Amino acid sequence: MSRVNLVGFLPAELEDLAVELGASPSQDGSRKLVYRFGDGNRISSVVMPDDDRITLCVSTQVGCGFECRFCLTGVMGLERNLTAGEIVGQVLGANRLLAPDQHVTHIVFMGMGEPLANYAALVTSLRILTDAKLGLGYSPRRITVSTVGLVPGIEKLGREALKVNLAISLHAASDEVRGPLMPVNRSFDLKTLLAALRRYPLAHRQRIFFEYVLLEDVNDSPDDAARLVRLLRGIRAKVNLIPFNDWEGAEFRRPPLPRILAFQSILLDAGLTTTVRWSKGEDIGAACGQLREPVPA
Ligand code: SAH
């Protein structure tokens, strides 16, 4: 019933939105959904089933303007922001494609684009997703917004009291390493970013997630791990290490497994909750950092 109300808010976007399934499901069960909008632009979301969870990775922009060196979406540049309807529509579309007894249980804003650079649509979409009466009624605990580290946006989001989870794409523990990897570090360096995160209002038992893509001989040494431990001291943090996902033309490599595990051990020994996140959908070009869709001529 609430969904009928919601659709009432979004007629234009939903009518305009056509969904294609990625050619075939990945061997790990994940699936890429490609959405084609009325203006010809395409974006993708990724459905990732895991035990009793079904996580959907949603996009917030067509392309991305932040040019992180290891990310294929960055190569596209930014075409345009998505509307709140186009963001929520990805969840509705995925739910419609899943079997009748299944639905998306968790939502991560980790697809194409920088959520906090499309702030108004992001917040509207979060309100619709979490509103129990008129929206989809998702618990904010099951939603994670990931950012390259736009400090004013992080501060604004903290004031919204939406209580969704925050993930930071950190990827390095010093400005010397992060600067060349992520141009955004020139605007908001690690000191500024970490200061904002120390002030970020967390709910009871909530933690900030830190994503760290492991790039061989760039940010994967034991010294890098030790620096990361020092950087995060005093923050309620959970670290997700993401072994680099390759794409054609990339200038980086994934470190060998022992190196990945050694890096993780240093964090674990220091008491940091740390998981290695083997991205899903790598074989179908749907893993972290591999999302790119053709832009209309
Ligand atoms: N712009 C937001 C949302 C994208 S999240 C952000 O950067 O947080 C996608 C995650 O995958 C980010 O942490 C990104 O840095 C990471 N990523 C990008 N390219 C990758 C690659 N080739 N291999 C592994 N992770 C990658």
Side-chain angles (χ1 to χ4, degrees), residues 70-71 110-111 113-114 146-148 169 171 211 213 244-245 288-289:
F70 44 80
C71 179
M110 298 186 183
E114 165 53 38
S146 180
T147 175
V148 290
S169 290
H171 305 323
E211 288 151 290
V213 55
F244 173 67
N245 295 310
C288 297

